[in-house]
Amino acid sequence: DMTTKKQPTKEQLQPLIQLFSFFHPVGKGVERYLAKTVFSCSIAKGDYLQRSGEVASNLYFIKKGIVRGFIKEDKKEITTWFAVESEIVSTITSFLMQVVTPENVQAIEDCELLAISYADLEKLYQQYPSFNFVGRKITELYYAISENRAYITRLHNAERKYNLFLKSYPHIAKRVKLIYIASFLGITIGTLSRVRAKASTRKKAEIV
């Protein structure tokens, strides 16, 4: 599903270096290590970055595009998360523990990615201990995002769920299919359509 791995140019690597540097200064040694180990690849809309039953061997940085995580229950697909440009993705428990994942990761748009393998990331932590700060800060951020996601999906009121989704993910709402949003929120597509119609009517009334 993925294109051939290529070594990125210094310019192509910059967005990833900038992200890491935001959390903690990245030295020249780390930059040189990343230049040798990070690879670039792309994936077409609809294709899979990761499939259920596999062990996640890579951590990805999205340069362009959007992906979703989903699990299958019987024949039903349940969207568990979305990720867009400048975000890091993997089936995280599978990647960190090197165990089989129940999740699938699918491209919703054509995607351009940077990636590093589990083995190379572990060596990076060992060779450059200061990079552990970066790893810790990213883990903290994604734990907070995961907690917010869990809070939204556990609410019972569909209208409140959708409003919180729009507040938390305004950059995603217009880029993904409504059926994915509905399954992420744990509501039917019919319920989501009614909630959206109600919100639209309210907006029009406010304008008048």
Side-chain angles (χ1 to χ4, degrees), residues 6-8 12-13 16-17 20 32-40 59 61 113-117 120 124:
K6 294 178 184 175
Q7 190 168 10
Q12 288 171 332
L13 199 58
L16 184 61
I17 301 288
F20 289 157
R32 283 192 295 270
Y33 182 90
L34 291 171
K36 285 189 293 183
T37 55
V38 168
F39 60 89
S40 64
L59 194 65
F61 171 83
L113 310 153
L114 292 173
I116 188 167
S117 72
D120 286 334
L124 175 57

Side-chain angles (χ1 to χ4, degrees), residues 16-164:
L16 184 61
I17 301 288
Q18 285 169 0
L19 176 71
F20 289 157
S21 299
F22 173 79
F23 293 104
H24 190 269
V26 173
K28 292 295 176 189
V30 171
E31 285 193 31
R32 283 192 295 270
Y33 182 90
L34 291 171
K36 285 189 293 183
T37 55
V38 168
F39 60 89
S40 64
C41 56
S42 59
I43 183 170
K45 178 181 177 179
D47 283 350
Y48 287 75
L49 199 56
Q50 181 89 41
R51 289 182 184 270
S52 172
E54 296 176 348
V55 175
S57 54
N58 300 315
L59 194 65
Y60 298 93
F61 171 83
I62 304 175
K63 286 183 70 182
K64 183 185 174 190
I66 181 167
V67 301
R68 71 169 179 134
F70 74 92
I71 54 173
K72 279 189 176 179
E73 190 176 55
D74 300 322
K75 291 182 180 180
K76 188 182 175 186
E77 291 183 0
I78 302 166
T79 298
T80 46
W81 51 266
F82 301 102
V84 296
E85 288 86 0
S86 298
E87 292 188 350
I88 290 172
V89 296
S90 187
T91 48
I92 207 68
T93 300
S94 175
F95 181 78
L96 294 175
M97 308 296 180
Q98 287 296 281
V99 294
V100 167
T101 181
E103 275 192 313
N104 300 276
V105 181
Q106 183 185 38
I108 295 176
E109 297 173 356
D110 291 344
C111 294
E112 291 175 13
L113 310 153
L114 292 173
I116 188 167
S117 72
Y118 175 82
D120 286 334
L121 184 61
E122 283 299 300
K123 282 181 199 165
L124 175 57
Y125 286 137
Q126 289 162 14
Q127 288 182 27
Y128 300 94
S130 66
F131 194 77
N132 283 271
F133 283 110
V134 176
R136 193 192 88 206
K137 289 293 183 184
I138 290 173
T139 303
E140 286 171 358
L141 174 65
Y142 278 78
Y143 183 83
I145 290 169
S146 175
E147 189 177 64
N148 183 54
R149 196 164 61 228
Y151 171 68
I152 292 170
T153 56
R154 279 172 174 76
L155 291 171
H156 293 294
N157 184 291
E159 202 172 337
R160 193 164 172 222
K161 277 187 182 200
Y162 183 61
N163 287 337
L164 279 170

Side-chain angles (χ1 to χ4, degrees), residues 167-181:
K167 190 177 175 183
S168 299
Y169 307 101
H171 54 299
I172 290 173
K174 291 182 180 177
R175 290 175 68 179
V176 303
K177 291 179 182 178
L178 291 180
I179 195 161
Y180 296 159
I181 296 174

